[in-house]
Amino acid sequence: MPTPSEAVHSIATRRAMRRLLPLLGLAYFMSYVDRTNVALAKTQLEADIGVSAAAYGLGAGVFFISYALLEVPSNLVLYRVGARAWIARIAITWGLVSAAMMFVQGEASFYALRFALGAAEAGLYPALMYTVTLWFSQQHRVTVVGLIYTAPAAATILGAPAGGGLMALDGAAGLQGWQWMFLVEGLVTVAVGVLVWIALPSRPQDARWLSPEQAAALSERAAGSEPSPHRLRGNLKRAFGRPVVLLLAGTYFVNQLVGSAVGFNLPSIVEGLGVEGSLSIGLVTGSMGVAILAGVLFFPWLHGRIGNDSGLIVLCAVAGTAAMGAYLPADSAGARYALLFAANFFLTGTLPLFWSVAMSRMSGLMAAAGLAFINTVGLLGGFFGPMVFGLIEGRTGSDRTPFVFVVIAGLAGIALAALLKRTVGREDGAPPARIPAAVAD
């Protein structure tokens, strides 16, 4: 029988999930749509304004450079001003820049606007994860993060066909189809930012739909028992230099390298399977979202049954790499599609487990800085993945040859995941670090 305090916390957690997850998920949904809709426009950008495959790969990746440069500063501002104001600001500015993608005239403007889009969106994902650390206890975080990750799954399922449909407006009002896509989806994101400003409380104590007792229960359980310093000075190693933090960053780098290399080229890969027409390509590309959705729901469920999040991360790394390796010799379009489906299931399914491991090892300012640092390193993988894929594709004329690079990266990811599992086990067996009072204050 749960104690009264446990019952209060359980009720408050359910309320927080119902109120927060739709807002956080909607913001993440639109960020994923606006970040990846350029993949649908790849062939049209080349035909209409001369953006080559190599230039596209660089432009797709340069987004992650500006995002990475501003990631940690953005989350430090978030820590000061609160989630409501900062997530709303991010959504509104990136929506405006995304809409401005309709004005691309050539490779230079393509690079510039993709760079600006990354700067505008910088900090969103770690801001979402940091918000989770303020509201939810560690036992609920795998589930919560898994539910947040249904947003990119839904964005893949719905966003690709919607983008394909908008591109079918080609010629309407004198605009190209890809211009309609960028304009409409960017303005929808601005509206989401306004909604976040109106409806998202920054912390439990700001929520009118919680009683003071419920807000206190959420904050107390979310904070955990390990103290967190209140400033970075003197704590840089704790935030950025611990072995487990570095291994988390390296593992995420490879995951994003592989995921972005394939994801930003998925519509053209689908086209190479013999699918024709913007809407059909969007529908088939969107079906990969079913794999993502299955992964982010299945692995949190499995974790709830057997635990061992770091062991499951290793399993996903091995299985995802095996699927990519089997893609290379596969002959039939059906087999290649099935292997891409399986790879997406494992590559994305691992992420709720990954962020649960990360969030269990930091709180407060250390969470704001540390989660942003890990995401920054991952974003560098997001830059190099599409760039290298595009260079290999441009030189070989094949969209299959770049999968050799993807498989090699996946093998490195397996090694890092295994080291992460070992390091997590060692850290869990060590006594908690003590923070000197002079540093914590």
Side-chain angles (χ1 to χ4, degrees):
M1 171 112 19
T3 64
S5 63
E6 289 173 340
V8 169
H9 179 254
S10 179
I11 292 170
T13 298
R14 289 197 297 271
R15 287 187 179 178
M17 286 185 178
R18 288 197 302 269
R19 295 279 188 155
L20 297 182
L21 292 186
L23 280 172
L24 300 180
L26 187 58
Y28 196 30
F29 176 95
M30 288 311 303
S31 79
Y32 199 82
V33 167
D34 290 340
R35 181 187 305 184
T36 60
N37 58 10
V38 68
L40 288 169
K42 178 181 178 181
T43 56
Q44 284 76 13
L45 287 172
E46 182 171 7
D48 292 343
I49 57 177
V51 176
S52 66
Y56 167 80
L58 178 59
V62 78
F63 163 93
F64 295 98
I65 294 296
S66 54
Y67 197 138
L69 289 173
L70 295 174
E71 188 85 328
V72 172
S74 176
N75 240 36
L76 294 178
V77 174
L78 164 79
Y79 181 75
R80 300 299 180 189
V81 306
R84 170 177 169 262
W86 201 240
I87 294 175
R89 192 284 305 162
I90 290 172
I92 291 169
T93 54
W94 107 62
L96 292 172
V97 176
S98 183
M101 285 286 294
M102 68 179 291
F103 299 114
V104 168
Q105 297 295 316
E107 292 180 357
S109 57
F110 180 59
Y111 298 151
L113 282 167
R114 287 292 295 178
F115 188 88
L117 185 63
E121 193 182 326
L124 175 71
Y125 186 75
L128 299 179
M129 295 299 100
Y130 174 69
T131 301
V132 171
T133 70
L134 296 181
W135 286 82
F136 299 102
S137 65
Q138 181 59 30
Q139 73 181 97
H140 293 109
R141 287 175 185 171
V142 172
T143 299
V144 170
V145 175
L147 291 172
I148 290 174
Y149 265 108
T150 63
T156 304
I157 295 169
L158 302 175
L166 288 169
M167 288 180 65
L169 295 173
D170 192 49
L175 297 177
Q176 304 289 344
W178 55 269
Q179 292 178 303
W180 276 113
M181 180 183 67
F182 288 132
L183 174 63
V184 172
E185 292 180 348
L187 293 180
V188 170
T189 298
V190 173
V192 170
V194 174
L195 180 61
V196 167
W197 173 260
I198 294 170
L200 179 67
S202 288
R203 54 181 186 153
Q205 287 76 11
D206 298 332
R208 296 180 180 179
W209 35 267
L210 290 175
S211 69
E213 184 183 17
Q214 291 168 342
L218 286 177
S219 295
E220 180 181 350
R221 298 291 182 93
S225 58
E226 186 175 348
S228 175
H230 300 300
R231 61 185 180 183
L232 274 179
R233 190 175 65 182
N235 290 288
L236 292 177
K237 183 177 180 180
R238 181 177 175 83
F240 308 130
R242 292 159 55 198
V244 71
V245 172
L246 295 175
L247 283 168
L248 283 164
T251 303
Y252 192 51
F253 172 88
V254 174
N255 179 277
Q256 294 300 289
L257 181 83
V258 172
S260 63
V262 177
F264 276 100
N265 292 280
L266 192 54
S268 61
I269 292 171
V270 167
E271 189 173 7
L273 297 179
V275 180
E276 298 179 353
S278 295
L279 184 56
S280 296
I281 291 170
L283 287 169
V284 175
T285 301
S287 68
M288 290 296 172
V290 177
I292 297 172
L293 182 62
V296 300
L297 294 177
F298 172 75
F299 284 105
W301 172 86
L302 184 61
H303 175 267
R305 299 300 184 276
I306 68 174
N308 195 13
D309 42 17
S310 57
L312 290 174
I313 291 171
V314 176
L315 170 65
C316 288
V318 171
T321 302
M324 292 296 187
Y327 180 91
L328 278 166
D331 290 327
S332 72
R336 291 165 69 188
Y337 174 85
L339 289 165
L340 287 172
F341 192 94
N344 275 282
F345 173 78
F346 290 108
L347 288 171
T348 311
T350 191
L351 294 177
L353 308 167
F354 174 88
W355 288 107
S356 173
V357 172
M359 288 186 289
S360 69
R361 280 150 179 81
M362 53 190 80
S363 62
L365 178 60
M366 293 300 99
L371 295 175
F373 169 73
I374 292 168
N375 201 50
T376 296
V377 177
L379 289 167
L380 295 176
F383 166 73
F384 286 110
M387 183 183 72
V388 175
F389 194 104
L391 288 172
I392 296 173
E393 181 185 6
R395 290 187 177 183
T396 63
S398 168
D399 64 2
R400 189 184 297 207
T401 306
F403 276 85
V404 175
F405 155 71
V406 168
V407 171
I408 293 172
L411 293 173
I414 293 172
L416 287 168
L419 283 173
L420 174 64
K421 181 179 185 299
R422 186 175 181 181
T423 304
V424 165
R426 286 179 176 176
E427 190 170 277
D428 285 346
R434 297 186 62 183
I435 303 172
V439 176
D441 293 338

